[in-house]
Amino acid sequence: MRTLLIVNPNATSTTPATRDLLAHALESRTQLIVAHTQHRGHAAELAQWAATNEMDLIVVHGGDGTVNETINGFLPLPVLDDGQAWLPRLGVIPGGSANVFARALGISPDPVTATNQLIDLLTLDADRRVGLGIADDRWFCFSAGVGLDADVCAAIDAGRARGRAATPARYVRTTIRQFFRAKRNEPGVRVVISGREPIDNVHYAFVTNTTPWTYLNARPVHTNPGTRFETGLGVFAMRSMALLPTLLLARTLLKTDGNPKSRNLFRNDDVPAVRIESKDPIGLQIDGDYIGKRSVVDFTSVPDVLGVVAPQAV
């Protein structure tokens, strides 16, 4: 088996010791090539090279952004059904701050434990097929959103560029700050789902491909608890930024068995597609990375499209 190990050396929790452990473990079982990312978009370039050269497995040691880049590098859009495209399997060893995709798949957030998981699963030849989402022309693994969370991701990305780590505490502080800034804005977002009336006067919206939406340290945050990799997309659209309803809703998001409800919330945990429109261009984030501002974004669910070396769904 021929394997490419993509390492993001700048990811939050990636260390040389873990990288060497992972490389040693893979070298004992596969023909291994190790590549370090050197700039934004490099993981996509490396993944495209691996697919072109028909590598069997791509293992990513980095955060959610590196995983997203990798998938967008080797998985074609539009999806090809002719069986001609070579598609490597994907393995993930968490190395970022939240590692939502890996943890939602049942992969340990501890990179050493995750390495042992990966080797055991490779020995068993155990893969899992999962669905992904598309936001216009880009795959997303677990979450995309417009408005508030995109503004948070933009601020976090700007801080990273200045050398500030993306810690959970910093995410919380940034979210609070961005919430009070956005609170003054008029709701200008419309959510359109086929077969129902449009949802107007939305402040911000999340589109998810699984649950949880994110993690706050070890605590999962569930916006759409019925959404899974095996279902359609989850939609969470909020029509109020009043403080008390927001606090009450936030409390339910942190419950293990939470079922977020509010008279100002539209929620559906299983839709095949959704369009989000905005009167003025609004920020878009995909898998935690700020993409830019858009006036219209089309989100689509694509089932059973990616092979991942991960535990089977429970």
Side-chain angles (χ1 to χ4, degrees):
M1 179 166 56
R2 299 167 64 231
T3 300
L4 174 66
L5 171 60
I6 298 175
V7 179
N8 180 355
N10 298 315
T12 304
S13 57
T14 302
T15 66
T18 303
R19 175 204 61 203
D20 293 345
L21 171 68
L22 176 57
H24 178 73
L26 289 170
E27 276 179 332
S28 66
R29 290 161 175 81
T30 69
Q31 299 177 41
L32 182 67
I33 296 175
V34 181
H36 292 75
T37 59
Q38 300 175 4
H39 53 79
R40 189 162 188 167
H42 195 196
E45 297 167 8
L46 293 167
Q48 185 178 42
W49 175 87
T52 300
N53 287 274
E54 299 190 351
M55 303 288 283
D56 301 291
L57 174 68
I58 299 174
V59 177
V60 181
H61 182 32
D64 288 311
T66 308
V67 175
N68 180 281
E69 276 192 17
T70 299
I71 291 171
N72 278 280
F74 77 81
L75 192 61
L77 267 176
V79 181
L80 302 178
D81 294 324
D82 57 9
Q84 298 302 308
W86 181 269
L87 298 180
R89 303 149 70 194
L90 179 71
V92 181
I93 302 297
S97 55
N99 306 298
V100 180
F101 181 59
R103 293 164 77 177
L105 285 167
I107 296 169
S108 172
D110 177 73
V112 175
T113 304
T115 297
N116 292 328
Q117 272 186 294
L118 176 68
I119 297 305
D120 289 343
L121 290 165
L122 287 174
T123 302
L124 296 171
D125 198 23
D127 285 3
R128 177 177 170 186
R129 299 292 301 182
V130 299
L132 297 175
I134 299 174
D136 282 346
D137 58 352
R138 188 181 181 95
W139 293 106
F140 67 95
C141 303
F142 61 91
S143 173
V146 298
L148 178 62
D149 65 333
D151 295 340
V152 171
C153 290
I156 293 293
D157 284 353
R160 280 174 172 156
R162 298 192 298 270
R164 300 181 66 186
T167 63
R170 187 159 168 257
Y171 269 102
V172 171
R173 292 194 301 270
T174 303
T175 298
I176 294 171
R177 184 169 61 249
Q178 293 299 330
F179 173 83
F180 282 103
R181 285 180 180 173
K183 195 174 184 295
R184 302 187 294 266
N185 300 335
E186 290 295 319
V189 173
R190 165 180 275 200
V191 176
V192 182
I193 299 171
S194 179
R196 63 162 298 136
E197 290 295 315
I199 300 96
D200 288 311
N201 301 317
V202 170
H203 283 274
Y204 58 89
F206 310 143
V207 180
T208 51
N209 185 51
T210 190
T211 196
W213 169 61
T214 191
Y215 288 86
L216 189 59
N217 286 320
R219 184 183 291 272
V221 181
H222 299 279
T223 58
N224 296 83
T227 303
R228 297 289 186 274
F229 290 116
E230 295 75 24
T231 69
L233 300 174
V235 180
F236 182 101
M238 195 62 181
R239 289 172 288 196
S240 172
M241 295 193 76
L243 186 57
L244 182 58
T246 298
L247 291 174
L248 292 173
L249 183 61
R251 186 173 65 178
T252 67
L253 300 184
L254 295 171
K255 291 183 177 179
T256 303
D257 57 351
N259 184 26
K261 290 181 180 180
S262 168
R263 65 185 182 88
N264 297 306
L265 171 67
F266 170 81
R267 193 192 110 202
N268 190 315
D269 290 4
D270 188 4
V271 301
V274 57
R275 167 173 282 200
I276 294 182
E277 305 168 351
S278 178
K279 294 177 182 178
D280 299 311
I282 191 169
L284 168 69
Q285 70 85 13
I286 294 178
D287 286 345
D289 279 349
Y290 182 70
I291 303 301
K293 292 192 174 184
R294 307 279 178 92
S295 295
V296 179
V297 188
D298 286 304
F299 301 89
T300 308
S301 173
V302 183
D304 198 38
V305 72
L306 179 68
V308 188
V309 183
Q312 294 300 314
V314 179

